[in-house]
Amino acid sequence: MKKSIVTIFILLVVSNVLFAQQKYFTRSGTISFFSKTPVENIEAVNHQTSCILDTQTGEVAVSAQMKGFEFEKALMQEHFNENYVESHKFPKATFKGEVVGFSSLTFSDETPNTVEVKGMLSIHGVDKQIKTSGTVSKVKDNYMAQAKFNVSPDDFDIKIPKAVINNISKEIEVSINLQLEPYAQ
Amino acid sequence: MNKKHLYLIAIVLMVSYSLYIAYSMYNKPHKIISEQAVDYRVSVDEMIKSFNNDEANANARFIDKVIVLEGTLKSIVASENPLSIVMLEGENGQANCEFSNDDLNLSIHQSLGSKVFIKGLFIGYDDLLGELQLKKCTIISSDFKH
């Protein structure tokens, strides 16, 4: 009896440790987006992006507050929040998906692995399935993840007024940069 | 000076004035949050509770508002220069507070573990990690009435 209790206890501790090590996270990831037109270039950055990655299943979730995006010009930031993404109605952008085949990746010498990421991107209350490639490398105990992809305001039902239609690109380039550390609660 | 000249001068003045207005609107500066009036003074736990009770309601109430948040200074996460993230902790949750390094006094390290008040712009509740998020933060004196 005593033996089995000890065994169960050890199993619990071991599984707990394993569980703890398979999840990685950040609360200070960076997402930036860039719109390039002959009229003007617009860039915004969010440095408080959160992410949780399950290295066993490859599942990944990312979340960023719309109000967390900082523009060079206050007026652009105001238009972005109030008129385009309506951040009072839809305060965050999220992504839920997977890094395909994450558990079979091998990590050595900080060399980046090219990976495929797919899942659901939600912006402005609209969900859209996306697929992109990115890189993941392991530096000491952390995973460094990067990806770049294009989104179109049209796909997320974001209406750009005619007056500024030439100022905002049809394809916005989104870059994401995450340094994920072991998740311990 | 004839009428034609007067018209011309008037038009030039009007055009340059509207250009000036448009230009200053285009370049209007960002709000300096540390100088803005405070909308809410709350503790980390009170805010976490509001979000657990009714997230939509709490969003409408707090997002884009200037908040003075009370909590225990837990850690300082140096992130991308020139920014740092300061974690403020309550009993039931924590807040992710973004500081410009210019606004982050080095003496803050001595306050780790103490109760502090952080003023910042509330940008939202991150349900992934269960954390409040503030940006453009400054530490104000440890007096709620400040």
Side-chain angles (χ1 to χ4, degrees), chain A residues 41-42 58 67 107 113 133 149-150 157 163 175:
Chain A
N41 293 337
I42 301 170
K67 284 278 180 191
F107 291 95
N113 284 292
S133 74
F149 54 94
N150 286 341
D157 201 19
S175 309

Side-chain angles (χ1 to χ4, degrees), chain A residues 27 48 65, chain B residues 96 121-124 126 131-135:
Chain A
R27 55 167 63 98
Q48 285 167 290
Q65 308 296 336
Chain B
N96 171 328
L121 185 72
F122 184 75
I123 60 168
D126 174 32
E131 291 175 357
L132 307 165
Q133 295 192 330
L134 277 77
K135 72 174 184 182

Side-chain angles (χ1 to χ4, degrees), chain A residues 93-140:
Chain A
T94 59
F95 174 79
K96 273 198 174 67
E98 63 164 324
V99 181
V100 179
F102 192 94
S103 58
S104 55
L105 294 175
T106 48
F107 291 95
S108 58
D109 302 335
E110 306 181 7
T111 317
N113 284 292
T114 302
V115 291
E116 186 188 67
V117 185
K118 57 180 186 184
M120 192 72 89
L121 179 64
S122 308
I123 305 172
H124 193 232
V126 178
D127 297 340
K128 194 176 181 275
Q129 203 72 36
I130 63 159
K131 201 157 89 176
T132 182
S133 74
T135 60
V136 189
S137 56
K138 195 166 187 187
V139 180
K140 289 183 187 145

Side-chain angles (χ1 to χ4, degrees), chain A residues 27 40 50 70 78 92, chain B residues 26 28 125-126 131 135:
Chain A
R27 55 167 63 98
E40 63 184 342
S50 63
E70 198 62 23
E78 215 174 279
K92 58 191 119 206
Chain B
Y26 182 72
K28 76 170 180 176
Y125 174 70
D126 174 32
E131 291 175 357
K135 72 174 184 182

